[in-house]
Amino acid sequence: MRLDTLLVHAGEPRPRAGGAVTMPIFQSSTFEETEARGYHDIRYARLSNTPSHDALHGKLAALEGAEAALATASGMAAISAALLSNLRAGDEVLAQEGLYGGTHDLMTRDLPRLGIEVRFVPGDDPAAWRKALSPRTRVFYLESMTNPLVRIADLPAAAAFARERELVSIVDNTFATPLSFRPLRHGFDLVAHSATKYLNGHNDLIAGALMGPSARIREAKHLLDHLGGSLDPHACFLLQRGLKTLGVRFRQQCATALQVAQFLDKHRAVARVNHPGLQSHPNHARARELFAHFGAMLSFEPKGGADAAERMFSRLSLPLHAPSLGGPETLVTRPAASSHVGLAPEERARIGISDGLVRVSIGLEAAEDLMEDFDRALAP
Ligand code: PLP
């Protein structure tokens, strides 16, 4: 079945629970004892095994074409469970440069305290990967689209590299979504999502998801059972509801993003636009080859740097100045003052994040209204 059909029907119980077309919320922390085969199977909401979790897991797994899935309390809970269930003291991680700030901080501040070292490498330089490899490397970690420059790594080469060297390959597929790219089909071992973003899609929930082979998901669940980062049943319900409309939302957002990117690209007050749908983007050809959509994120540099960006923020009437992405409301941020404020200015400059760079998460407003609003806000 096609993804749109799976989004509606996968994971839903048949026959429906109590005949309810929409999966009800099983708002119970504990369940009558059946035959638990061990601690991890006791029916208890922290152990991610209520009927609300089961239905959601089915839908999440289908979405990425995975054997199994695990819903988590946040994207970071999914990422940390994926990493920690595959690493132990003395191991090393190969990680793509320019990762989401929270993941970057987990890798540089917390993992070293556990005796795990991380080496950062460019996403499309196999020679650099080979050089950074050591006998202790266990995991290769990438994002299918990076923030905020929306670059696309050489993902097929990375999956093959990891497989040849028996590394566990993990991809954060938050920006691309399975509508654009399905990492497991390309040979990656695990896919992580901040379901806070497109999967839920309404800016009203924090959640995460991990998808992959049953054995790996079981390992991650057992760790999550101890770390305590389970998703509560009400949030399971919201995410399951949000997922049903992912296809229509995301395609619409991608179409609008391309229109807005093309509009900004021609605007006299804009120095540069980053969007994989533009021919000027360094990974345009790769996006065409690997992705079904160019995505709904873009970034651009207004002429005049940070001051011009801040002035534009103060004049915009539709986009809200807020972090996060993937919801109905268009959101704008200035990464140098938000997600990437922790990086040294030289490091930001090296990876191409100028002080004036503006990141845009395109929402579900009419493209024409957004373009008119940006035009007004960028006027001299
Ligand atoms: N991965 C990416 C690409 C993100 O942008 C984010 C959050 O912004 C996360 C992971 C973390 O997700 P959460 O905030 O749901 O923990």
Side-chain angles (χ1 to χ4, degrees), residues 74-76 79 100 172 174-175 194 196-197 207 325:
S74 67
M76 285 312 300
I79 291 165
Y100 163 65
D172 178 334
T174 300
F175 272 42
S194 168
T196 310
K197 319 298 190 214
L325 60 123

Side-chain angles (χ1 to χ4, degrees), residues 31 75 81 113 117 164 169 187 194 224 247 253 301 310 321 349 365:
F31 288 74
R113 282 195 296 113
E117 292 303 324
E164 278 160 26
S169 53
S194 168
L224 194 81
Q253 285 167 299
E301 292 176 30
E310 292 294 335
H321 185 185
E365 303 91 341

Side-chain angles (χ1 to χ4, degrees), residues 268-281:
R268 63 199 171 285
V270 173
R272 177 176 178 78
V273 182
N274 305 298
H275 180 68
L278 298 179
Q279 292 205 347
S280 57
H281 191 277

Side-chain angles (χ1 to χ4, degrees), residues 29-285:
S29 57
T30 188
F31 288 74
E32 284 185 313
E33 206 54 73
T34 46
E35 301 108 54
R37 278 158 286 133
Y39 170 74
H40 296 286
D41 299 316
I42 294 168
R43 303 288 303 280
Y44 182 60
R46 175 166 50 76
L47 306 179
S48 303
N49 55 17
T50 72
S52 296
H53 291 93
D54 293 346
L56 177 58
H57 289 160
K59 204 180 287 295
L60 289 170
L63 192 58
E64 287 286 9
E67 242 172 49
L70 176 66
T72 60
S74 67
M76 285 312 300
I79 291 165
S80 53
L83 287 169
L84 293 174
S85 60
N86 284 291
L87 292 165
R88 61 192 65 216
D91 287 349
E92 288 182 10
V93 178
L94 214 56
Q96 184 185 0
E97 285 172 348
L99 294 178
Y100 163 65
T103 310
H104 179 267
D105 287 359
L106 171 74
M107 288 191 176
T108 53
R109 295 182 195 174
D110 300 308
L111 293 190
R113 282 195 296 113
L114 303 174
I116 300 160
E117 292 303 324
V118 183
R119 297 187 187 190
F120 290 100
V121 289
D124 46 12
D125 187 352
W129 307 343
R130 277 192 294 277
K131 211 164 144 216
L133 203 67
S134 93
R136 294 142 83 101
T137 314
R138 294 280 169 270
V139 164
F140 194 6
Y141 186 96
L142 300 104
E143 291 177 357
S144 50
M145 256 181 170
T146 64
N147 173 33
L149 300 173
V150 272
R151 294 274 166 80
I152 300 161
D154 191 345
L155 296 162
F161 180 87
R163 194 131 295 223
E164 278 160 26
R165 285 147 185 96
E166 296 184 3
L167 310 179
V168 179
S169 53
I170 306 174
V171 175
D172 178 334
N173 201 28
T174 300
F175 272 42
T177 86
L179 266 300
S180 288
F181 181 72
R182 296 172 96 191
L184 299 177
R185 286 204 175 157
H186 288 262
F188 287 97
D189 293 313
L190 281 169
V191 187
H193 278 273
S194 168
T196 310
K197 319 298 190 214
Y198 293 105
L199 299 197
N200 179 60
H202 289 78
N203 283 333
D204 57 5
L205 170 71
I206 298 287
L210 191 65
M211 294 86 149
S214 303
R216 291 196 188 282
I217 296 298
R218 194 177 318 116
E219 292 283 305
K221 175 187 141 32
H222 287 186
L223 180 70
L224 194 81
D225 289 349
H226 298 153
L227 295 177
S230 58
L231 192 65
D232 82 273
H234 185 254
C236 287
F237 165 82
L238 284 176
L239 176 53
Q240 185 166 347
R241 183 171 77 159
L243 279 166
K244 290 184 193 175
T245 56
L246 171 63
V248 280
R249 284 187 282 104
F250 188 68
R251 281 191 295 272
Q252 177 73 32
Q253 285 167 299
C254 289
T256 306
L258 186 58
Q259 267 183 281
V260 174
Q262 287 166 340
F263 165 78
L264 291 171
D265 200 36
K266 291 198 209 89
H267 201 284
R268 63 199 171 285
V270 173
R272 177 176 178 78
V273 182
N274 305 298
H275 180 68
L278 298 179
Q279 292 205 347
S280 57
H281 191 277
N283 302 131
H284 176 67

